[in-house]
Amino acid sequence: MSEMVHFTELGLANTRQMFAQAFAGGYAIPAYNFNNLEQLQAIITACAETGSPVIIQVSKGAREYANATMLRYMALGAVKMAREMGSTIPVCLHLDHGDSFEICKSCVDNGFSSVMIDGSHLPYDENVALTRKVVEYAHQFDVTVEGELGVLAGIEDEVQAAASTYTKPEEVEDFVKKTGVDSLAISIGTSHGAYKFKLKPGESVPPLRFDILEEVEKRIPGFPIVLHGASSVVQDYVTLINQYGGKMDGAVGVPEEQLRKAAKSAVCKINIDSDGRLVVTAKVREYLANHPGEFDPRKYLGAARKELTELLKHKNETVLGSAGKA
Ligand code: G3H
Ligand code: 13P
Ligand code: ZN
């Protein structure tokens, strides 16, 4: 077992000040998922170059893939890399979709500055109890906690975001008060993955449920809200993937204008994973198809990293509004 480390020893920041400033400034902090070196380099380069605060987040699966100790030092390296670029951007290391007290505790003990406990699938009272337990532990170390109310539709679901899965605004005040969470993820029509909406020919993406968001804002004024499942599924990359041997029919995401609108509201954190995956896959496919004799991973991963950096800069500048806010 690795020794305990506090996030401040890694140069990391929790989300408290980031969210207070995002709320006041009408923008959202980008929360980008990463699993490997090239993704993390792209995130740090894009955020340092645009002067954006950033949340680098890892899922349970990413933690298993990359190794918890490795991740700790990758985060330390990410902060140092930003500083060597002359950037003072705050960097938060966040656990995405923690599903137990134990994994949240392990992340707190391993230098994470923020954790999510996702009890959204549990009955309400069990979600409250589990979230409260994580908050009690994490707050001892000044680690901030994200909870969730309402279930995002799964990518396999036939019916996307059925009414019963949206966040119930009448529950949020009680949940926030009883648990002591620092931010709350809500369900207003987004979903994870690259197939967010099933559209018939000629149909366009339905608007997110901004009415639910407004109701939530009224009940917990000034409280930071988190939007999961916020990839736009950029069609240029889907086209490239399909052009170079992939098969991603009907992949569609949340239009950028809707995310921009959300970022101006109480939404202080916007989670993006799938868009990063799409860029990497598209550029690796393209590179290998055009350079069939190439076998140096630095070449095709380097091409992917470059394009990912550009996409994330674009998101900070024109979608989240976080550029220049660090
Ligand atoms: O919300 C889920 C994230 O996109 C992480 O996905 O569990 O495949 O790493 P993952
Ligand atoms: P996307 O699949 O839309 O990128 O959502 C990512 C996410 O919510 C991670 O928690
Ligand atoms: Zn998520």
Side-chain angles (χ1 to χ4, degrees):
M1 225 178 80
S2 55
E3 73 210 49
M4 281 179 69
V5 64
H6 189 254
F7 69 81
T8 50
E9 295 171 60
L10 303 177
L12 298 164
N14 67 23
T15 59
R16 200 165 290 122
Q17 201 187 348
M18 283 188 188
F19 288 168
Q21 289 176 347
F23 199 101
Y27 60 93
I29 309 289
Y32 296 129
N33 290 68
F34 75 99
N35 299 268
N36 67 20
L37 173 72
E38 286 79 7
Q39 286 173 311
L40 186 55
Q41 288 171 321
I43 295 167
I44 292 300
T45 304
C47 292
E49 286 184 357
T50 57
S52 170
V54 65
I55 297 171
I56 52 174
Q57 61 184 11
V58 288
S59 66
K60 186 180 172 191
R63 204 161 171 261
E64 282 159 11
Y65 178 82
N67 178 282
T69 304
M70 179 66 90
L71 276 174
R72 171 200 292 195
Y73 293 107
M74 283 175 81
L76 176 69
V79 174
K80 288 202 185 285
M81 178 179 155
R83 303 296 173 255
E84 280 164 16
M85 289 174 73
S87 171
T88 55
I89 54 164
V91 179
C92 167
L93 176 64
H94 175 77
L95 169 68
D96 191 24
H97 294 283
D99 61 356
S100 67
F101 171 78
E102 288 71 28
I103 189 170
C104 292
K105 178 182 182 302
S106 168
C107 286
V108 170
D109 295 348
N110 268 282
F112 281 59
S113 53
S114 176
V115 293
M116 175 188 193
I117 177 67
D118 182 357
S120 62
H121 291 83
L122 299 172
Y124 180 78
D125 289 339
E126 287 175 39
N127 187 1
V128 168
L130 177 60
T131 306
R132 174 78 218 152
K133 189 174 173 192
V134 170
V135 168
E136 276 170 3
Y137 185 76
H139 279 185
Q140 293 176 66
F141 304 94
D142 202 28
V143 170
T144 41
V145 180
E146 174 185 327
E148 178 161 346
L149 269 180
V151 181
L152 266 65
I155 51 170
E156 305 88 9
D157 287 3
E158 276 302 306
V159 183
Q160 294 285 317
S164 60
T165 66
Y166 292 130
T167 301
K168 298 189 183 94
E170 59 276 20
E171 287 181 350
V172 297
E173 196 181 347
D174 183 68
F175 186 82
V176 164
K177 207 185 289 167
K178 283 189 179 145
T179 59
V181 277
D182 302 280
S183 60
L184 182 68
I186 62 168
S187 170
I188 56 166
T190 61
S191 62
H192 292 115
Y195 302 88
K196 299 191 190 299
F197 307 95
K198 283 196 175 68
L199 301 176
K200 297 199 183 84
E203 260 181 10
S204 50
V205 172
L208 298 178
R209 291 292 303 271
F210 284 99
D211 56 319
I212 297 177
L213 174 59
E214 279 166 25
E215 244 340 278
V216 168
E217 287 179 299
K218 274 189 213 145
R219 289 168 194 256
I220 42 174
F223 197 79
I225 301 300
V226 179
L227 201 58
H228 283 246
S231 278
S232 293
V233 186
V234 182
Q235 290 302 303
D236 287 352
Y237 298 120
V238 176
T239 304
L240 262 189
I241 289 173
N242 289 336
Q243 186 182 337
Y244 288 106
K247 191 163 166 40
M248 294 195 68
D249 300 329
V252 56
V254 184
E256 291 187 346
E257 313 79 66
Q258 294 200 38
L259 296 171
R260 186 73 205 102
K261 184 176 169 188
K264 286 182 180 155
S265 73
V267 170
C268 292
K269 172 175 180 268
I270 290 191
N271 283 15
I272 297 170
D273 186 2
S274 295
D275 278 343
R277 297 179 181 199
L278 286 169
V279 178
V280 171
T281 303
K283 295 313 277 188
V284 168
R285 278 189 180 280
E286 181 188 47
Y287 192 94
L288 291 176
N290 290 328
H291 305 82
E294 188 56 68
F295 68 102
D296 181 346
R298 291 174 297 187
K299 293 284 172 48
Y300 50 85
L301 294 179
R305 182 178 65 183
K306 187 163 176 280
E307 186 78 13
L308 179 56
T309 307
E310 291 311 311
L311 177 74
L312 301 183
K313 284 167 84 166
H314 163 76
K315 288 194 182 282
N316 293 350
E317 281 162 355
T318 60
V319 185
L320 308 183
S322 62
K325 305 293 188 185

